[in-house]
Structures are given as structure tokens and as C-alpha cells.
Amino acid sequence: MEQQRVVLLRRSFLAGLGLAVGGLALGLAEGRADAAEARAPAPASAGLRTSVFLHIATDGTVSIVCHRSEMGQGIRSSLPVLVADELGADMARVKVVQADGDKAYGDQNTDGSRSVRGSYEPLRRVGATARAMLVAVAAKRWRVPAAECVAEGHAVHHAKSRRSLDFRELVADAAKLPVPDAKAVALRPASELKRVGGPLPLLDGPAIVTGAAQFGADVRLPGMLTAVVARPPVVGGKVARYDGARALAVPGVKRLVELPAPKGPVGFQPLGGVAVVADTTWAAMRGRAALEVTWDHGANAAYDSASFREALSRAASAPGKVMRQVGDVDRAFAAAARTIEAEYHVPHLAHVAMEPPAAVARVDADGCEVWAPTQNPQAARAEVARALGLDEGKVTVHVTLLGGGFGRKSKPDYVAEAALLAREVGAPVRVQWTREDDVQSGYFHSVSAQRLKAGLDADGKLTAWLHRTAFPPIPSTFDGKSTTPSAMELDLGVLDLALATPNLRVEACDAKAHVRIGWLRSVCNIFHAFAIQSFIDEIAHARQADPRDVLLEVLGPAREATPAELGISRLPNYGASLDEHPVDVGRLRRVIERVTELSGWSAARKAGRALGLAAHRSFLTYVAVVAAVSKDALGKVQVDEVWLVADPGTVINLDRVRAQMEGAVVFGISVALHGAITMKGGAVEQTNFRDYPVARSTEVPRRIHVEIVKSDAPPGGVGEPGVPPVAPAIANAVFALTKTRVRELPLRRLGL
């Protein structure tokens, strides 16, 4: 019998699988999330359009635009609910549409844990405005006061007369009314938001389960070619020579294109190099392997992690630029009964999202059209326009689903690569990064050294605190010259740290960047929290006191810390008002008290269990973590159990918040155990998950307990603030287990 070759594609497998489980998946969704390639609805004469975010058709269908990017955090399932609940819409008649990159939507950057906190009130006002117009029409028809009418269940109701009108019966007349000022429209009481705060269905779930969901690498256009790029291994490097003939001899390879090297500060520009354009991804990869490129590495070729670590240590050991000061620290140290000092190091980190960067571009006489898994479509639009020399109005950026982001996909260098190549070859081009590209050619979380010193009085009370922080700053990527950490970066765990000490000083020390420094999930909070929370644990050990009691003591009583107490005139505060989002020590204390209660802190420690505690405020959210560790059969540290309590203020989608915190624990475990990008000769030494591993299933505790504090405070961030306390909690638990103090990450490099 003749054998037949069967090609099974991932998408067709998922589609087949969806036949079996699709019914279950579809049952999870109320409302519809359009495929990621869908566009925001164009202005139409029919129906009611109160803003770029909302359109109600004459048949009653409500289209709500999600202007943020979906990367697993459930934002397309969360933000539209704010509009729908305020409007009184039935989610079964709501259509969620993904926005293209456009300044008309305001801030679209899905970064900085600000999607909900930045949109909570504005999107509610979008729904409230349309509701007011629909209610006004119904009230006029019934000749009753508008205050007696209620919009819910996709209709306006008048209880006294038991009359109701569906939205579709009101839309045409509502569209004739002037749109009221959104700021003047009354919002519903929070108690009337029926879905907000509870478990919400994942609207993209059915498409993901059935294989219909479109991620960046899934986009296909007629005549599309695929490209991979041989990029300079050292930032600032250039092509010296390559074997183009060998690459072009590979079957399927169509073109070789040299990409321009960055000019001036690298910013979001592509790194340059040689692109291999082919019929398939495999052909392009084989063609790239045949290039045998010789590089001129440039000025950063001497960058070496080992020597740079020593340079950072020297920088943190010397006085730096004073960024925050309270009292007289030097006098307090001179009078202290005891001083404690320690230095902490965290290496570069990579993002390694599940989906490596990819983008598709098509360029013609009308401009450029892009499909990309981008966290920041407006930045992608601007960078493509710059690269091609076009007006932004001629660039369209469609946002696909993202297979993770962590900050990497807010940097659109890969999108510009696709646009440049599409113009050059005269056909649609998909640029595909491999995992090796992702690990070796990304934007890296900054390497850092932190030096802390504490003065204690005769009773062991904290009387002085000095914190010196040294790391190449993010602005260096965009101005090419910054060496001192910015106030924005120091706001991430240092300027906003409220301590009950009368004498405190924070100094920023110089460090020059030799790679592209970028933001990664929770940014500088990672190394600031690691140093501060580890150091407080060291103070507790020096005093032979309970780390929980000492942590609460150094934080001081519940209060809202003022700028005067913090010793700074202006706090960046994640771009939020201190009046609305103060530095609330009481909220931080409460999550510490609750997480230690949940973990049975005192009893477990007395029983000999190795526990570590850490807490941190970031992105206007308060999180405390307790980690329990032991040793496995090979003598390696293993994380047995983690408890996390978070107070993020008002919550829209409880399940997604809990999932984000669980994911943050896994992410933090990866940072603590494995995370390290090291440089030799200016190039990244790691290549893939084999030498830049993330936490395996066997390294993640079977029990991760997450509790979300019920709060009516304004929404804080969710995606990032769970990460910072995880590594120091693990490090402190390791000390409890081994009496070895961890002052450097990751643990596996230390043999632990």
C-alpha cells in the first residue's frame, strides 16, 4: 500500500481540537471578540456614535473598541465591560473590536500596568454619555422625568408605568441629539456595575481554543515572503562582509537586503544587518546560516559582564548624585550604636515572551500597512513612518493578539524591519525573530549594583538609611548619553519608599550603557525590591528579631507619606496624582499582616519551616509575598509554596487579576533561580532556553495562594506589581534554610 505524507499544522490541529471542545469554550463567553485583524468601526451615519470607543447600530448591536493590546492579561475582556456596565448593555449583544494605532484613542501603550487605572473613569464616561442620550429619548417619548428611567439589559425602563424600550428603538433619535460633555455626565454608583469586580469570561477564549485566534506570526497575505535577519551581535556593530552567493544558493531564498545601521541614539531603530528574504521561514533561516557574516563590532566590543560588575560595585561604593534626603545621615551614622552594610547585584534580564517578535508589512503607493503583536501601536506607527520617510497618516498598524509581551513588544524595531523590507522587495514581508534572536538582540533589563547602609541605636531601632543605586539607565537608549538613573526609574521602589527613620539619603551613581536598555515587567522595582527587602531581613537577623516585626517597624505606623516626609519635592508616582494615589503605608502594612497570617508565619517558623517575607509598593499597588523553600534530592533549593496578598484598589476582572499575580510568582521564580544575561566581547553569551531557562513545571510550587484585598481605592496596576517581592522573599527563605545570605541573583549561578 502506498504511503501518504501528512502535513499537520499547528493551526489545523487546534481547529480540529476545537471541534471537540469548542462547544465548551463557546459557553465561556458572553459577548463577541472580533478576530484581531478587525478594524475599529468606521464613522457611519446610521446609529449612535458618542466617541471613537463606542457605536450603537440601529439594530441595537453595541460595538466597543478596545484600544489596548491583548497579551494574555484579559484586557479585551475587561475594558469593554466598563463601557457596557455604565451603558446598561447586554454583553450578548456587544461586539469588541481591536483598535488600530491612532492618536484619536489617546494613550494606547499597554505598558506600565496602566491600562485599567488610566481608562477606568474615561471609559465609564463613554458608556454613561450614551446612556444619558438613550434615556433622554425614552423619557421624552413617555413624557416622564429622565431621573425616573433606568438603562439596563439593553433597554431603558420606566418602573412606574412598566414600560421599556430596547436600545434599537432609541438609537435613531438619540443620534440626533448633541453629545453632552462627558465630564458632566453622572456615573452610576459602583454598586450598579453588575459585572465589574467579579469573574468575567475570557472573550478571546473560544478563538484561542479553536485555533481561530490570530497572533503576530499567524498573519498571511497573498504573495507574502518571510525574512529573518542576521543582526550585529554587538550594539553599534556593522557588517564587514558576508557570503551572499552561498545564501542565495539555498532553495527558496529570494533576496538579500542590507538593513541600515542606526543613526545617533538607537531608540526604536532596527539594529541593521543582513536580511534573508525567502518563500518560507525555514528557507530564510537556512539562508542566514549560510551567510557567514564577519562583523565590525564597534565601540561596545569590550563590554564584559565580569569587569562591568566590578565597575558597578565601585560606582555604588562612592558618593553619587543625591536624589532624596531627609535629616542628617552622616551625623546619624556617626552617632549610631551599630551600622550594617550590604551590596546586592542583579544581572541583565531578557523578556523571552512565548511568542518571539514578528511583524507583517505591505508597502504600496498609498503608504504602509502593518500587522504586528505590538504593545504600543502608536510608537510602531511613528517608527515605521520615520524609517520609510512617510507621514504617519500613511501608515496603518493593525494589532494582533500578543503571545506575551513583558515590555519587549512596546519597542517596535521589529515592525520597522518588516516595513523596510517590504518596501525594498516590493511584496508583503513577514519578519520573524527566532528565540535566539530574541535572547541575543533584544532590549535588556538593566544590570545593577545596590549598596545599602543602616544605622541602629542601642535598642536596634533604625536611625539612618543610605541607599546608593548604580545601573545603566533606560534614557541612554534614547539620548545616547545618559549615565545617571532618572527620577522616573528611582521612583520605582526608591523615591517612593516610606521608612520610619529621621535620616535618609538616596544617591544615584553613574553607569554607562553598552546594550539597548529597556523596560521589563516591573522594571527597576526588580532590583530595588531585591536589595531593600533582603537588607531589611539582614537587619532583622542582626537584631535576632522576627523579620516580619522588623519590616513593620521600619515602615512605621499607618499613614499617607507626604513629599516632605519622603524628602523630595515631586514624586513621579507612576504618572498619578499623590492626592488620588498617596504612598499609603497602612495598605502596605495590611498586606504584610495578611500574608503572614495566611502562611501561618509564626507557627511555621517555630516548627522549622524555612520562610522568607518581602513586600513592595509598585504601580500604585501593594503586594506582600511569603515563600517557603527546601532542598530537593540533589541538594538544590526548591520553592515549595508561595503566598501572595495584593491590594490593587478597585478591581474590574477578579479572575484576571488573580491570574496576573499567579503569573507574577512564576515570573519572579524565573528571575530568582535563573535570570541572567551575560556579555563577553560585547555580545550576549546566552542563546535559547537551554542557557537562559525559565522556571520549569518542576520548579514551580504546586501551591500558589493568591488573595486580592477587596478595596474601593482607585485602581492600581496589576500586570507588574506581583513580581518585585518574589525574588527577595525566596532569597530570605534561602537564608532561613541555609544561613547563606543571597546578595546576588540568580540562585542557580551561585550553586544553590
Side-chain angles (χ1 to χ4, degrees), residues 24 34 129 138 159 168 174 195 234 262 264 274 290 333 413 460 470 497 501 519 545 551 697:
L24 171 62
D34 273 12
T129 300
R168 67 174 178 271
R195 302 173 188 84
V234 179
V274 182
F333 278 129
D413 55 325
L497 174 65
T501 178
W519 43 93
L551 176 56
S697 59

Side-chain angles (χ1 to χ4, degrees), residues 470-484:
F471 57 92
I474 292 170
S476 65
T477 299
F478 301 94
D479 63 23
K481 60 184 180 181
S482 290
T483 57
T484 305

Side-chain angles (χ1 to χ4, degrees), residues 324 465 467 493-499 504 532-533 555 566 583:
R324 175 184 174 191
W465 179 278
H467 187 163
V494 175
L495 297 184
D496 59 341
L497 174 65
L499 294 177
L504 179 148
I532 291 166
Q533 293 299 305
L555 290 174
L566 295 172
V583 179

Side-chain angles (χ1 to χ4, degrees), residues 47-67:
L48 174 62
R49 181 179 298 281
T50 59
S51 80
V52 294
F53 294 99
L54 176 65
H55 177 261
I56 307 176
T58 53
D59 66 356
T61 299
V62 173
S63 294
I64 300 175
V65 174
C66 181
H67 64 305

Side-chain angles (χ1 to χ4, degrees), residues 303-310 312 345-349 446-448 636-637 669-680 685-686 690-693 699 740 742-752:
Y303 185 37
D304 179 89
S305 290
S307 59
F308 195 72
R309 184 190 188 284
E310 299 306 315
L312 279 178
H345 291 260
V346 176
H348 287 299
L349 301 171
S446 195
V447 59
S448 76
K636 298 292 185 182
V637 168
I669 290 172
S670 293
V671 169
L673 297 183
H674 300 295
I677 290 290
T678 57
M679 318 298 294
K680 193 75 172 177
E685 294 185 286
Q686 289 69 36
R690 61 180 171 272
D691 46 15
Y692 190 85
E699 296 173 310
T740 298
V742 176
R743 293 177 176 163
E744 183 172 355
L745 295 178
L747 297 179
R748 294 297 186 241
R749 287 180 66 195
L750 303 177
L752 295 171

Side-chain angles (χ1 to χ4, degrees), residues 285-572:
M285 291 170 64
R286 290 184 63 217
R288 181 173 66 174
L291 282 172
E292 295 189 355
V293 185
T294 299
W295 302 98
D296 174 359
H297 291 309
N300 291 315
Y303 185 37
D304 179 89
S305 290
S307 59
F308 195 72
R309 184 190 188 284
E310 299 306 315
L312 279 178
S313 183
R314 289 192 297 271
S317 298
K321 180 181 178 182
V322 176
M323 302 295 290
R324 175 184 174 191
Q325 185 159 250
V326 178
D328 190 331
V329 171
D330 295 328
R331 178 179 294 182
F333 278 129
R338 183 178 185 182
T339 61
I340 300 172
E341 294 186 68
E343 187 172 300
Y344 302 88
H345 291 260
V346 176
H348 287 299
L349 301 171
H351 299 82
V352 291
M354 182 178 293
E355 176 194 30
V360 174
R362 177 171 58 199
V363 178
D364 56 28
D366 296 325
C368 179
E369 192 170 12
V370 168
W371 292 257
T374 172
Q375 292 176 245
N376 193 347
Q378 289 180 32
R381 189 185 194 195
E383 183 59 27
V384 167
R386 182 208 61 77
L388 298 181
L390 294 175
D391 181 270
E392 280 192 37
K394 291 192 173 183
V395 177
T396 301
V397 175
H398 308 305
V399 182
T400 68
L401 295 177
L402 284 67
F406 308 130
R408 171 60 182 99
K409 293 174 185 172
S410 60
K411 308 167 185 73
D413 55 325
Y414 60 100
V415 184
E417 287 178 336
L420 287 167
L421 292 171
R423 182 181 66 179
E424 181 65 24
V425 304
V429 171
R430 174 172 67 94
V431 164
Q432 180 63 61
W433 286 49
T434 64
R435 180 61 64 197
E436 288 79 7
D437 297 335
D438 180 41
V439 170
Q440 297 187 312
S441 299
Y443 291 76
F444 300 104
H445 186 265
S446 195
V447 59
S448 76
Q450 314 282 313
R451 189 161 188 84
L452 289 97
K453 182 178 180 180
L456 308 179
D457 65 15
D459 295 325
K461 305 295 185 183
L462 182 66
T463 59
W465 179 278
L466 172 64
H467 187 163
R468 289 182 179 142
T469 177
F471 57 92
I474 292 170
S476 65
T477 299
F478 301 94
D479 63 23
K481 60 184 180 181
S482 290
T483 57
T484 305
S486 64
M488 178 276 292
E489 293 167 294
L490 297 179
D491 180 42
L492 308 177
V494 175
L495 297 184
D496 59 341
L497 174 65
L499 294 177
T501 178
N503 305 287
L504 179 148
R505 187 165 70 237
V506 170
E507 298 174 6
C509 306
D510 282 357
K512 181 176 173 56
H514 298 279
V515 297
R516 297 191 295 182
I517 302 296
W519 43 93
L520 174 143
R521 189 178 189 179
S522 79
V523 207
C524 305
N525 288 293
I526 288 178
F527 47 69
H528 287 150
F530 172 63
I532 291 166
Q533 293 299 305
S534 296
F535 189 56
I536 292 173
D537 195 82
E538 292 206 40
I539 293 173
H541 175 67
R543 290 176 48 182
Q544 296 185 329
D546 187 321
R548 175 194 55 193
D549 298 340
V550 172
L551 176 56
L552 292 171
E553 179 186 295
V554 299
L555 290 174
R559 66 197 184 284
E560 293 181 358
T562 64
E565 178 190 333
L566 295 172
I568 53 175
S569 58
R570 187 166 176 263
L571 186 69

